[in-house]
Amino acid sequence: MDWKLSTAHEIAAALRAGEVTSAELTDEAITRIEQEDKEINAICVPDFDRARAAARGADQARARGEDRPLLGIPVTVKESYDVAGLPTTWGMPQYRNHMPAEDAVQVSRLKAAGAVVLGKTNVPFGLQDVQTFNEIYGTTNNPWDHRRTSGGSSGGSAAALASGFGALSIGSDLAGSLRTPAHFCGVYAHKPTLGLAAMRGMVPPPTQALPVEPDLAVVGPMARSARDLTLLLDVMAGPDPLTLGVAYDVTLPPARHERLGDFRVLVLDEHPFLPTGSAVRAGVNRVADALADGGARVERHSPLLPDPAEAALIYTQLLFSGSVARFPVEAYEELRTRAARLSADDRSLDAARLRGMVFSHRDWIEANTRRELHRHGWRQFFAEFDAVVCPITPTPAFPHDHGPDPRERRLDIDGVEYPYFDQLVWAGLATMPGLPATAVPAGRSPEGLPVGVQLIGPMYEDRTPLRLAELLEPRIGGFQAPPD
C-alpha cells in the first residue's frame, strides 16, 4: 500500500495492526522526498540517518508492547525549531553554521511521543514573510503551481504535507504563519490559544533558548486532516517544564458541541481595510452553506463583534513594534523621523505599521490596554456564539514575488493592487487577542488553487474550532492531493 497521503490516525492504526512497520514507512517517505522534493524544495535539512534509527527503535518499542500517541509516525519540523545536531538558521546566511546542542521543547515532545523526525522544512528570512525563500536554502514552491508561493513562514511544512513528505508537521504563527501556508497549500493547521504550547527552543539564532513566551506568537500543529490536528495538539499543549509547568498541568475543556447542528457561528467575508477576493469569498460561503445545511445557526452580522478596524490597527502596531525591536540605532532613528511626519489624522495601516515600529513603552502599554478591552469584548461575543468563520488572506496563493523591499510589493485582489502587508489583517483578527484558530481547506479557486478559511474559537477552548473543523471535513471536501 502507498502511505503517501494517509493521515496520522490511519498510519497509527496500521502500525498497531501490524500492517506496516515504521521502518517501512520511513524508507518510503525518504525515497519520496529524494525523488520528488527537487521541484518543491520543502525539506531543507534532511535527517534521514537518525530518522531510520528512530524508526527501528519505534518498531522495537512496539514489539515490546509500547504504544505512544505518535509512535513510529514520520513527521517534519519547521527549520526554526532547534534540533540537536542540525542547523537552526531562520534562513539568515550569517547563521548557516549555528548548531544548537539541545532540542526545542516541542521537538522533545514529538520524540517522547514516538514520532520519527525526517528533517526540517524551509522558512523565509527571519520568518518575516508571507512567502518562503532565503539565500541558504532557496525557494519553496507551491505543490499546486510551482510558479506560486507555498506561503510563509511555515511554507515548507505546508508544502511537505501537501506533497506527502510525512504525516504531520509543527510550525509557528505570529502573522498567519501556520494558517496562510495551510490555506495556500490545501492542508490543515491550528493556531493555539496564546501561551497554550511552550515555545522554548523556537528562537532566532544566536539567541539562547530561554523559557520566554513572546507576545502574539504561538507554535502549533499542521496536518492533512482535522482529527490529526487534535492528535498533535495534545502532544504539544502544556507549559514549559521550567516555568509554569513546575506547578500546572493543562487539561483542555471538551468542545462545546459534538453535533454540527448545535453550533452558533458568525460568518465574515469582508474587512473594513481591504476587499476579499472572489475565490476566497466563495470558499467562505461554501463553508457557510455547509454549516446551514448541517443545521447550525449561521449569522452574518452581530453587534457583539469587536470592531475589526480597530483590531487591525492594534494588531499592526503590536506586531511591528516587536519586529524592529533589535534594529540598529541608526535605522530606528530614521523610522522615528518618518513617523514624526505622519498626520495625526492618518489612520491607514501603513501609518499604523510605522507608528508601531517606534512605539515607546508608554505607547505599548496603551495599545495593550486596548487589546484587553477587545479580549473582554470577545468573551461577551463567545457567550452568544461558538465560532467565527472568515478568510485567512484575501486571495489564494499568489505568484512568487521576491522584490527586496516588501513595502514596495503589491497584492492583486481581483485586478486591484493593495499594499502587500495589508493581507495580514485577517490573521490578526485571532492573533491580536490570542484566540485559537483552525485553518481548513474549503475547495478550490477557478484556477484550481486551494482555498482555505479559518474557524476562530473562544480562548482556551481550542477543541471547539477543532471539532467544528472535523465535523465540516466531509461536507466541504477536506484535503485533496495536488495534481502530479
Side-chain angles (χ1 to χ4, degrees), residues 37-105:
D37 196 36
K38 294 179 180 64
E39 293 294 322
I40 304 298
N41 193 33
I43 310 298
C44 61
V45 184
D47 197 17
F48 295 158
D49 289 342
R50 291 198 296 186
R52 287 190 169 102
R56 291 192 297 271
D59 289 333
Q60 292 165 0
R62 193 172 295 280
R64 294 191 299 268
E66 294 184 28
D67 189 12
R68 285 170 269 159
L70 306 179
L71 187 60
I73 298 175
V75 306
T76 59
V77 171
K78 188 174 181 178
E79 198 271 356
S80 50
Y81 285 88
D82 287 349
V83 178
L86 299 181
T88 297
T89 71
W90 287 42
M92 297 185 283
Q94 65 269 38
Y95 300 116
R96 66 172 65 243
N97 296 318
H98 177 67
M99 200 81 64
E102 295 181 353
D103 289 341
V105 64

Side-chain angles (χ1 to χ4, degrees), residues 9 18 59 69 85 93 101 105 107 135 165 180 195 200 210 238 258 263 284 298 302 307 353 380 402 414 474:
H9 272 89
D59 289 333
V105 64
V107 174
E135 292 182 21
F165 305 156
T180 298
R200 178 163 48 90
L210 299 173
E258 287 298 319
F263 277 85
V284 172
V298 178
S302 172
D307 180 7
R353 283 187 278 270
Q380 294 176 309
H402 297 176
D414 290 346

Side-chain angles (χ1 to χ4, degrees), residues 188 223-231 438 440 466 469-470 473:
Y188 287 82
R224 286 191 292 269
S225 79
R227 193 176 173 207
D228 283 358
L229 290 178
T230 299
L231 174 69
T438 306
V440 303
L466 286 166
E470 188 176 343
E473 191 165 358

Side-chain angles (χ1 to χ4, degrees), residues 1-4 23-33:
M1 178 175 173
D2 184 355
W3 300 96
K4 175 179 179 180
E24 291 169 339
L25 289 169
T26 301
D27 281 340
E28 182 183 300
I30 290 171
T31 298
R32 187 178 308 119
I33 293 167

Side-chain angles (χ1 to χ4, degrees), residues 112-451:
V116 174
V117 178
L118 296 167
K120 289 184 158 196
T121 58
N122 202 17
V123 296
F125 179 92
L127 310 193
Q128 293 187 334
D129 205 340
V130 189
Q131 305 173 73
T132 292
F133 66 96
N134 61 73
E135 292 182 21
I136 304 175
Y137 301 120
T139 300
T140 298
N141 297 316
N142 192 304
W144 289 82
D145 181 345
H146 297 174
R147 299 166 298 178
R148 296 176 183 266
T149 181
S150 61
S153 62
S154 306
S157 288
L161 285 167
S163 303
F165 305 156
L168 300 167
S169 193
I170 57 173
S172 61
D173 194 309
L174 171 67
S177 289
L178 283 160
R179 292 163 286 166
T180 298
H183 157 47
F184 285 174
C185 294
V187 299
Y188 287 82
H190 181 70
K191 185 200 88 67
T193 296
L194 182 67
L196 180 63
M199 291 188 65
R200 178 163 48 90
M202 223 292 300
V203 291
T207 310
Q208 186 175 352
L210 299 173
V212 176
E213 298 296 334
D215 190 35
L216 299 174
V218 301
V219 293
M222 306 183 79
R224 286 191 292 269
S225 79
R227 193 176 173 207
D228 283 358
L229 290 178
T230 299
L231 174 69
L232 186 47
L233 180 64
D234 284 344
V235 170
M236 300 181 72
D240 194 309
L242 299 183
T243 54
L244 295 177
V246 173
Y248 302 127
D249 291 322
V250 164
T251 302
L252 287 173
R256 289 186 173 188
H257 310 293
E258 287 298 319
R259 295 175 56 254
L260 193 60
D262 294 332
F263 277 85
R264 304 159 298 170
V265 182
L266 180 69
V267 175
L268 304 175
D269 63 1
E270 288 294 344
H271 195 281
F273 273 113
L274 80 170
T276 301
S278 56
V280 171
R281 188 182 301 110
V284 172
N285 290 332
R286 195 175 296 117
V287 173
D289 290 344
L291 287 164
D293 290 345
R297 191 190 100 193
V298 178
E299 304 286 347
R300 292 280 184 165
H301 304 280
S302 172
L304 294 172
L305 180 72
D307 180 7
E310 184 184 40
L313 292 171
I314 297 170
Y315 168 67
T316 299
Q317 290 173 332
L318 291 172
L319 175 66
F320 281 85
S321 70
S323 70
V324 302
R326 294 181 176 86
F327 270 29
V329 173
E330 297 80 7
Y332 179 74
E333 290 301 327
E334 181 183 342
L335 290 170
R336 289 186 62 184
T337 300
R338 288 173 50 203
R341 299 192 194 109
L342 290 171
S343 166
D345 297 328
D346 190 342
R347 299 275 293 171
S348 67
L349 289 173
D350 271 340
R353 283 187 278 270
L354 186 52
R355 291 188 179 109
M357 288 178 184
V358 296
F359 256 15
S360 66
H361 186 57
R362 180 188 181 92
D363 295 330
W364 192 93
I365 291 294
E366 180 183 349
N368 188 53
T369 300
R370 287 184 285 135
R371 168 168 48 184
E372 290 300 335
L373 291 172
H374 272 254
R375 284 174 173 156
H376 178 66
W378 279 110
R379 285 190 286 270
Q380 294 176 309
F381 173 88
F382 282 118
E384 298 295 328
F385 289 90
D386 302 307
V388 173
V389 174
C390 64
I392 296 168
T393 71
T395 70
F398 50 85
H400 296 296
D401 181 356
H402 297 176
D405 186 352
R407 294 171 301 179
E408 299 300 320
R409 299 179 196 160
R410 292 295 178 264
L411 181 71
D412 184 311
I413 305 178
D414 290 346
V416 180
E417 292 188 344
Y418 293 84
Y420 182 73
F421 283 125
D422 283 9
Q423 64 186 298
L424 303 183
V425 294
W426 282 116
L429 191 66
T431 299
M432 186 272 287
L435 301 173
T438 306
V440 303
R444 295 201 296 274
S445 73
E447 296 79 23
L449 298 170
V451 171

Side-chain angles (χ1 to χ4, degrees), residues 449-466:
L449 298 170
V451 171
V453 304
Q454 61 180 332
L455 314 175
I456 301 175
M459 187 174 289
Y460 293 112
E461 295 187 48
D462 291 59
R463 296 196 194 281
T464 293
L466 286 166

